[in-house]
Amino acid sequence: MNNKVIGIVLIVIGVALAIWGYDVYEAAGSQVSRALSGDTPIEAWAGLIGGAVCIIIGITRLK
């Protein structure tokens, strides 16, 4: 039972991180930065990748 609770919490945190990373990626300042230099902010990558990792770990805990 404890693994299921941890899995659900990790999935919720992962979704929140992914949404935050996407918001940072789509922010106006980020779009200008990508247009001028082609670089994506590290915060966007951290949120998207961190969210995906948390979701994957959470799913494996539910099984």
Side-chain angles (χ1 to χ4, degrees), residues 6-24 44 46-59 62:
I6 292 171
I8 292 170
V9 169
L10 282 171
I11 291 172
V12 170
I13 290 171
V15 169
L17 273 173
I19 291 171
W20 174 75
Y22 183 74
D23 284 345
V24 170
L48 292 171
I49 294 172
V53 168
C54 283
I55 290 170
I56 291 170
I57 293 172
I59 289 172
L62 289 178

